[in-house]
Amino acid sequence: MVRNDERRSALADAGIRVLAREGARGLTHRAVDAAAGTPRGTTSNYFSTRDDLISALVDRIGERLTPDPDTIASRAALVPDRALFAEYMRDIVRRLSADPEVPLALFELRLEAARRPAVALALTAWRQRAFHDDVAFHRAAGLPGERTEIALFHYAIDGLMLDHLTAPIDTGLSADTAIDEFVDRLLP
């Protein structure tokens, strides 16, 4: 397997674009080569199987969803209350909304995971790690709520983003207002 981290990232980014635009059925090595503007066979040189490619896409999605360390550091001195928790939730929605290919690709992978055990394995492992990391961060920051509330927020943000990025219903609620309502209703 070829090792060039910049090229691997560029190919994974192209794969994310393909997933977001074409869906899981459109994700082929050739489609990624075309989206990346690389010669045919380049993606196969880096990711020999479709499962290897999907695993790389899951890893790259995780990288692209990682919060900005400076943003996290700037909030470290703030009082860990419900308002700060809501601000963290708004930041997640802002990051997802600013880069819609990432959540769309992630939703595609989640649907593909229902049909393909290898995708389910890779995606579930990544999601479980991310959830545990969120719970650990939450506890270390002294934010209100526990593991159950973090799980409920994961479900709520997933639903909010799915609605926002696909066929949104007109509820009259902005994303910020919805987050404030989630926080008010879910946090003790």
Side-chain angles (χ1 to χ4, degrees):
M1 185 180 306
V2 178
R3 194 78 203 161
N4 174 331
D5 290 337
E6 286 182 33
R7 176 62 64 92
R8 290 175 68 79
S9 293
L11 290 169
D13 287 338
I16 289 168
R17 283 193 304 278
V18 169
L19 263 178
R21 294 176 186 164
E22 306 297 326
R25 290 180 188 248
L27 181 66
T28 65
H29 286 84
R30 281 187 183 180
V32 174
D33 286 338
T38 57
R40 187 186 293 178
T42 303
T43 301
S44 295
N45 286 335
Y46 282 81
F47 313 107
S48 57
T49 67
R50 189 169 193 273
D51 289 342
D52 291 340
L53 175 59
I54 287 172
S55 181
L57 298 184
V58 169
D59 290 343
R60 186 65 177 148
I61 286 169
E63 291 169 9
R64 287 176 61 173
L65 289 178
T66 299
D68 176 41
D70 293 336
T71 301
I72 299 297
S74 71
R75 293 182 180 137
L78 300 175
V79 176
D81 58 7
R82 290 167 57 165
L84 181 58
F85 186 86
E87 185 51 38
Y88 280 116
M89 295 301 103
R90 279 191 286 279
D91 179 60
I92 292 167
V93 171
R94 277 192 295 269
R95 285 185 285 121
L96 289 167
S97 298
D99 195 1
E101 289 177 339
V102 171
L104 286 171
L106 187 52
F107 289 136
E108 285 291 336
L109 286 174
R110 289 179 72 177
L111 291 170
E112 184 75 359
R115 295 179 285 277
R116 297 198 47 236
V119 176
L121 188 65
L123 193 57
T124 300
W126 173 78
R127 292 189 73 229
Q128 202 63 49
R129 275 191 315 273
F131 176 69
H132 287 297
D133 290 348
D134 288 349
V135 170
F137 172 82
H138 185 86
R139 286 182 178 152
L143 291 163
E146 293 295 329
R147 181 180 178 87
T148 298
E149 287 79 17
I150 301 300
L152 293 172
F153 278 105
H154 271 254
Y155 300 144
I157 297 299
D158 283 352
L160 179 69
M161 291 310 301
L162 181 62
D163 184 77
H164 175 70
L165 294 171
T166 57
I169 56 173
D170 183 7
T171 62
L173 293 174
S174 69
D176 285 347
T177 301
I179 289 167
D180 288 340
E181 288 294 325
F182 292 154
V183 171
D184 286 347
R185 294 170 190 232
L186 294 177
L187 282 182

